[in-house]
Amino acid sequence: VQLQASGGGLVQAGGSLRLSCAASGFASGSNSVAWFRQAPGKEREGVSCIRSFSSGPAYADSVKGRFTFSRDNAKNTIYLQMNSLKPEDTAVYYCAASFTRPLPYMCLDPSSYGYWGQGTQVTVSS
């Protein structure tokens, strides 16, 4: 199982970025997948997730209405569209996957995921 995250960069506040995470060794469309982020000196934070056999993604309150999680099963790739970016969104963003189906309240918990991508840096300037 491999996850390759890309798409990070430097953007001004109010701008947009789209992160991609290419999966191999498993089908991202039928397993639980998620995006996390970690800012310097802070714990890893769940951003958005989709549990296997679920109808739609869940989002952290801090990104609701600004970020959109999607996936292309044909490309075995998941995406995180980030709009109206704020300086506090600055972090290394990670994609993660699990073959299990976490309980809803555990969907954004890092301990629910056993496979991680390498991370991509997102920096939002004010």
Side-chain angles (χ1 to χ4, degrees), residues 26-80:
F26 77 104
S28 62
S30 55
N31 289 283
S32 302
V33 287
W35 286 98
F36 291 83
R37 66 186 181 186
Q38 189 166 19
K42 294 188 177 181
E43 293 186 353
R44 193 163 294 191
E45 172 192 22
V47 176
S48 184
C49 61
I50 297 179
R51 298 185 303 141
S52 53
F53 310 113
S54 294
S55 58
Y59 296 94
D61 288 342
S62 58
V63 305
K64 279 181 182 176
R66 300 189 298 121
F67 290 12
T68 303
F69 191 141
S70 63
R71 52 188 174 185
D72 185 330
N73 294 339
K75 295 182 178 180
N76 208 20
T77 299
I78 63 173
Y79 303 95
L80 186 67

Side-chain angles (χ1 to χ4, degrees), residues 96-118:
S98 173
F99 292 140
T100 63
R101 187 170 190 257
L103 293 171
Y105 73 94
M106 290 295 290
C107 188
L108 289 175
D109 191 305
S111 67
S112 297
Y113 300 86
Y115 301 95
W116 293 84
Q118 84 288 3

Side-chain angles (χ1 to χ4, degrees), residues 11-12 14-18 81-85:
V11 64
Q12 288 188 333
S16 299
L17 282 173
R18 188 177 81 155
Q81 177 66 44
M82 306 185 295
N83 298 328
S84 302
L85 282 162

